[in-house]
Each structure stands twice: as structure tokens, then as C-alpha cells.
Amino acid sequence: MSNLSPRAWFAGCAVATSALLLTACTSGSGDGEAANKTSSPSTASTSQAATGAQEKKLTDQAQTALASVRSGTMVEAGAERVTDGIHTEPNLNQGKTYKLDLVCIGKGKAQLTLTPASTGPKTDVPCDKSVVQQRITVHKLPVRIDVDGITGSTGVIAWQIDTV
């Protein structure tokens, strides 16, 4: 120990421990006074369950819409929240052409961007249950597909890449 007396050292440890315990007790989302007062834990759980159920319903609707336009052999597919977007580098072959189908169900719209730009044009994807089809011609690898929701847009985007 340095020049501190044992009593001062123990007092310092007690203060540090008290601060840690106080922080741990008030920063959680338990039943304590400092928990989020805008909703009770049961309301938050119910809200998350409802959101999860709604997302599943939207995902099922989007995948059903894609299944109705499927052609060729599926290369890759998925579904994401509009707020998360789609960001993928699929395993495609140079010199080949593919079909990308997208459907957004919710509100607002998203924008499809392909990289390199020679792969295909930027395309708007409305969140109105319509299927947007985009031809992808692979001139140079890797190909990157990005679909980003426009500010304020919500819902689910499902997508599928098929061989042509």
C-alpha cells in the first residue's frame, strides 16, 4: 500500500463498490424505480411479441409473393426488416445472367443498388406488395446487392436470385 492508511483504503473500496452496485441496480430494465417508466416489463414483452408476430406475417406474405414468380434455379434468398436492409455479395458466376426478385411489404419504399454499377441500374422498391424484378448481368466480380429503406419506411423485404 502507498501512503494510505488501511482504513482509508477500505473506505475507498467501499465507495467504489457502492457506486458499482448502484449503477448495476438502476441501469437494468427490471422492476426498480429507475427502469423505463414509459412501459411496464409485461407491456414491453407484449409489444415485442406483437412486433415479432407482425414481422413473421409480413415475411410469410412476402415469401408467398416471391414464390408466385419463381423461375430458374434459386441461387440465394432471404428476408430482412426494411430498417436493416439487404447487404449481400452472392456467389454468382462472371459472364452469367440472373434474375433478382424483390418484394417489400409495409410502408414507404426502399432503393436497390448493385455494385459494380454495370451489373444493373438503381431501382426503387415500393413497399406495396408488388414484386420488383431486376436482371443482373455479371460483368465483374464480386457483385454486391444493397437494398436500403428510405427514411421512415418500415416492413419486410424478401428477395430471391434465380438463374436465367
Side-chain angles (χ1 to χ4, degrees):
M1 284 188 276
S2 59
N3 293 336
L4 292 177
S5 70
R7 186 174 187 174
W9 186 82
F10 283 116
C13 288
V15 169
T17 302
S18 296
L20 286 172
L21 288 173
L22 182 60
T23 301
C25 290
T26 61
S27 65
S29 60
D31 293 326
E33 285 283 319
N36 183 355
K37 294 181 182 178
T38 60
S39 65
S40 68
S42 63
T43 303
S45 297
T46 303
S47 175
Q48 288 173 347
T51 300
Q54 180 67 13
E55 282 180 10
K56 181 172 178 3
K57 180 181 174 186
L58 294 176
T59 300
D60 290 344
Q61 290 175 0
Q63 290 174 334
T64 299
L66 286 180
S68 70
V69 297
R70 173 178 264 162
S71 63
T73 303
M74 184 180 69
V75 175
E76 190 172 319
E80 301 292 340
R81 291 182 195 101
V82 172
T83 53
D84 294 339
I86 299 166
H87 307 285
T88 185
E89 287 185 14
N91 188 19
L92 304 178
N93 295 315
Q94 192 164 343
K96 300 282 184 180
T97 301
Y98 300 87
K99 183 178 75 151
L100 171 63
D101 295 323
L102 298 148
V103 64
C104 182
I105 299 181
K107 70 174 191 170
K109 69 179 179 178
Q111 186 168 65
L112 164 68
T113 305
L114 298 167
T115 307
S118 63
T119 307
K122 281 188 177 183
T123 304
D124 284 342
V125 181
C127 294
D128 62 0
K129 300 182 185 178
S130 61
V131 178
V132 173
Q133 296 182 326
Q134 177 68 50
R135 195 172 196 86
I136 298 174
T137 304
V138 182
H139 299 290
K140 182 180 176 187
L141 292 172
V143 170
R144 180 161 177 86
I145 298 172
D146 292 297
V147 182
D148 294 299
I150 303 302
T151 302
S153 297
T154 61
V156 173
I157 302 172
W159 56 279
Q160 179 174 308
I161 302 170
D162 293 327
T163 59
V164 176

